[in-house]
Amino acid sequence: MRHALLVILLIASRSIHGQPTTPIPIKVVVVTMFEIGADMGDRPGEFQYWVERLPLPQTIPFPQGYRNLRYNSEKQVLGICTGMGTARSAASIMALGMDPRFDLSQAYWLVAGIAGIDPEDGSAGSAVWAEWLVDGDLAHEIDSREIPKEWETGYFPLRRTKPYEEPIQEHDFTVAIHLNPDLAKWAYGLTKNNKLADNETLQKMRARYKGFPEAQKPPRVMMGDHIAAMTFWHGKHLNDWANKWVSYWTGGKGNFVTSAMEDTGTGQSLQWLTNAKKADINRYLVLRTASNYTMQPPGVTAAENLTIGGKEVGERYTAYIPALEAAYQTGVVIVDQLLTNWQVYKDKTPVK
């Protein structure tokens, strides 16, 4: 306890001469996006299992961000909860990256959060490592009641004149981020045989998706690409859009599997922090676990499934808690591997 207290005092304060103390080297940053109440002991959000189980026992004041940081001084692992949405994630990660208390130049960044999953590709409770991140907000939009008859959507790329117009235009805003593929595949290779929890709740949930064989499989660890958008969208037509949007921005290389809100914001900040030599985006990993499906099952409308449908089946029929478990159980394998082999991975990023 005395050592932990000393660490917190050092990193939370300055010397009597007003100069920053020596920055604390961080090996891994665990990035979560929301917490419901306290960091420990109540209904969990994405942050809580990491705080309780890794554990992250020390609290570090972080007034320039969404929530105080948590830290393990023995493991040199830092936990951050960014807040929900692209804006909060970008602001929180930039604030952390510029914080003089920490040396993040060799840190690995692990996003571990829940998401929606495309029932064409996977099932609720599954864990998905991403290679591509695609922003779903940067676009032009025309209301669906006013789009030209020949258009399939009123949502189309900035500086283009119609949906999915080729070629993709080079520009100064980030829509697609290609993560380090070797690192993503390394993480997948270490975790692909992990057995994820299955239960009656998940079985009932996926049984509704008749005609979607991938959605009806037990939870598993997968690879698949991610779209981040501030709107919690749902339904078949928007699911079709997400697939085409990811394919368009990745030149056909990416396949939409999971949907959430924050990861392109985190990625944008890490790109700029890399330019400033304060972080390394080649050490950025995104793990999303499926708490719900991104479109309705047969027999109900998108509106019913998003609103009334959820109430009909009750919260016990969602995959929220299994997804939180999958995020920790899968992500901690990678954290442990990085720490155990730090003498190697400190200077050399893992490859598949």
Side-chain angles (χ1 to χ4, degrees), residues 198-246:
D198 195 9
N199 55 39
E200 186 180 0
T201 297
L202 293 176
Q203 292 162 11
K204 289 181 177 179
M205 185 177 181
R206 64 180 183 256
R208 302 172 69 204
Y209 283 81
K210 295 179 174 62
F212 294 85
E214 296 300 320
Q216 294 188 313
K217 293 180 179 179
R220 62 199 185 276
V221 180
M222 311 165 49
M223 287 200 71
D225 300 305
H226 184 75
I227 192 167
M230 292 278 277
T231 301
F232 189 125
W233 56 267
H234 186 75
K236 180 184 184 307
H237 294 297
L238 288 173
N239 200 72
D240 291 343
W241 159 78
N243 273 285
K244 292 179 180 179
W245 193 253
V246 169

Side-chain angles (χ1 to χ4, degrees), residues 282-298:
N282 286 315
R283 297 185 170 198
Y284 179 31
L285 285 158
V286 172
L287 174 68
R288 287 286 182 166
T289 56
S291 61
N292 59 280
Y293 292 102
T294 53
M295 60 172 282
Q296 70 274 26

Side-chain angles (χ1 to χ4, degrees), residues 27-28 54 74-77 333-343 345:
K27 296 176 181 177
V28 180
L54 192 63
E74 300 297 330
K75 297 178 184 288
Q76 293 185 320
V77 175
V333 173
I334 300 307
V335 173
D336 287 345
Q337 281 288 321
L338 291 170
L339 298 180
T340 300
N341 299 286
W342 186 248
Q343 291 307 309
Y345 297 144

Side-chain angles (χ1 to χ4, degrees), residues 9 34 51 69 90 107 132 155 207 219 221 271 296 303 338:
L9 290 173
F34 75 92
V51 174
L69 306 170
W132 288 91
Y155 207 77
V221 180
Q271 285 181 326
Q296 70 274 26
L338 291 170

